[in-house]
Amino acid sequence: MIIFLFIALLLALIVIIFLLSVLHSVHKKLALIKDALGDIKTGNLNRRILADTNDMTKQICFDINEIATNSQSRLIHQKKSEQAYKRLMTSLSHDVKTPLASLVGYLEAVENKIVTGEEKDEYISVAYDKANHLKHFVEYLFEWVKLDSGEQIFHFELFDLNELSRSIIADWIPVLENNHFEYEFEIPETEYLIRIDTNAYTRVLNNLFSNIITHSDGSKMSLRISENSQRAEIIVSDNGKGISDDDLPHIFERMYQCDHSRSARGNGLGLEIAKKLISVHKGTITARSTPGVETVFTIILPASL
């Protein structure tokens, strides 16, 4: 009987020692967690808490580490956004101030009668072109701001993609001919109904056509559409100077302008706007180019959103 009592007391003592050990370990880990939380609270988002597989507080540690990681990612994204907007404002300042100063200079020359006759008419014509450039830039900018902030409202309706494309192209034929461009359009005669925002799709094609005329230095362009039950493929190409391998990965980025290919007079917003508008339709737009041979933009639109 005394032996059994001794064994029971011994087992109880072992249990108490084990519990005290566990309690001490948990107390140390809680102190470590408190210290880590203090670090994280003061802005040290690199702080992490190590936890063993059998650690009773491992889930708490994992959750704290996840919170710190997510907060760090958001902070990095925020800093990148701030830097991007600073670069944007710098670019905007240059893109607006330079042509505006030039415009004012031409108009002042006319107003002060520094130029007369044919030279005056030429100055007025140049001023008109620069004013139009500023107008188009502001339009692009406002559209980009609405898209970037998520304030753009889209109206998706069932339309015949082929007929809509022909309607858009019809407005561009005189422009292409005036700029001495040969053109080729291959659009199926059959009806292809798709849910689409017509204004957005029109803007995408307009941006691509404008890009070709303004920057490609080419003489021929084409648009081809092919379709099946899953998707429509719209291919727009030109035979201009092309885009270099270094520039190609960046052409859809905000305010990006290629130094040696297509952007001497661009604003760096048209292609990014096109990509955002296609993304809204759950589609994709990609580009490939062989400098001096051709540049090809491929748009994929799903048959159903």
Side-chain angles (χ1 to χ4, degrees):
M1 190 68 179
I2 295 175
I3 295 175
F4 285 121
L5 182 60
F6 176 77
I7 293 173
L9 288 173
L10 183 60
L11 290 174
L13 181 61
I14 292 173
V15 170
I16 291 171
I17 293 172
F18 173 75
L19 291 176
L20 287 174
S21 174
V22 170
L23 184 61
H24 178 69
S25 176
V26 170
H27 183 268
K28 285 179 60 178
K29 183 51 69 74
L30 289 175
L32 181 62
I33 291 172
K34 180 181 178 182
D35 183 54
L37 286 173
D39 262 3
I40 293 171
K41 185 178 179 180
T42 56
N44 181 15
L45 298 179
N46 291 314
R47 182 67 184 269
R48 300 292 184 269
I49 308 172
L50 299 178
D52 297 329
T53 305
N54 298 323
D55 196 329
M56 294 176 62
T57 62
K58 68 176 181 179
Q59 190 57 53
I60 296 174
C61 296
F62 292 160
D63 290 343
I64 291 173
N65 289 340
E66 184 178 3
I67 291 171
T69 300
N70 291 339
S71 297
Q72 189 175 43
S73 297
R74 285 194 296 270
L75 182 62
I76 292 172
H77 179 72
Q78 180 182 346
K79 288 183 177 179
K80 286 183 177 179
S81 295
E82 290 174 354
Q83 292 172 353
Y85 273 100
K86 286 180 181 178
R87 290 195 300 270
L88 174 63
M89 294 311 297
T90 301
S91 297
L92 291 180
S93 176
H94 175 270
D95 289 340
V96 172
K97 287 171 63 177
T98 301
L100 185 59
S102 179
L103 173 61
V104 170
Y106 278 98
L107 292 177
E108 282 181 345
V110 173
E111 177 68 18
N112 296 327
K113 297 181 173 52
I114 297 174
V115 291
T116 58
E118 291 184 2
E119 190 176 13
K120 174 183 175 182
D121 293 339
E122 183 180 340
Y123 270 50
I124 292 174
S125 177
V126 172
Y128 178 77
D129 288 341
K130 290 185 178 296
N132 269 327
H133 172 78
L134 281 172
K135 174 178 175 288
H136 293 150
F137 178 76
V138 171
E139 288 173 351
Y140 271 100
L141 180 60
F142 272 104
E143 183 168 7
W144 175 83
V145 169
K146 286 200 296 183
L147 283 170
D148 196 57
S149 64
E151 295 178 0
Q152 180 73 44
I153 298 174
F154 296 95
H155 301 283
F156 295 99
E157 298 180 65
L158 207 58
F159 273 93
D160 178 3
L161 179 68
N162 297 328
E163 184 59 33
L164 176 59
S165 299
R166 280 190 285 267
S167 175
I168 296 168
I169 288 169
D171 293 332
W172 278 94
I173 288 178
V175 181
L176 290 168
E177 291 178 346
N178 288 338
N179 284 274
H180 311 291
F181 264 85
E182 297 179 23
Y183 50 84
E184 182 180 0
F185 304 123
E186 294 182 13
I187 302 175
E189 294 295 331
T190 55
E191 185 179 64
Y192 190 81
L193 295 177
I194 186 173
R195 287 186 61 81
I196 196 170
D197 182 295
T198 58
N199 290 331
Y201 180 68
T202 301
R203 169 56 80 181
V204 170
L205 290 191
N206 284 348
N207 285 4
L208 292 179
F209 291 170
S210 177
N211 196 58
I212 289 172
I213 290 175
T214 307
H215 306 303
S216 73
D217 290 341
S219 60
K220 184 183 298 183
M221 66 85 63
S222 68
L223 179 143
R224 295 179 175 84
I225 297 179
S226 59
E227 300 146 342
N228 57 38
S229 59
Q230 284 79 41
R231 67 182 194 175
E233 183 179 74
I234 302 100
I235 298 177
V236 178
S237 63
D238 68 74
N239 68 338
K241 65 175 70 172
I243 305 171
S244 72
D245 292 339
D246 290 336
D247 290 320
L248 194 60
H250 307 288
I251 60 172
F252 293 106
E253 294 176 5
R254 177 190 310 165
M255 302 298 292
Y256 189 84
Q257 295 182 319
C258 309
D259 292 332
H260 306 292
S261 57
R262 303 169 71 94
S263 66
R265 299 177 298 278
N267 54 46
L269 293 173
L271 291 181
E272 192 198 6
I273 288 173
K275 183 175 182 179
K276 285 180 178 291
L277 292 175
I278 292 299
S279 295
V280 168
H281 289 79
K282 302 188 187 306
T284 61
I285 178 170
T286 56
R288 60 181 175 83
S289 184
T290 303
V293 180
E294 68 171 357
T295 297
V296 180
F297 286 90
T298 302
I299 298 169
I300 304 293
L301 292 176
S304 59
L305 289 176

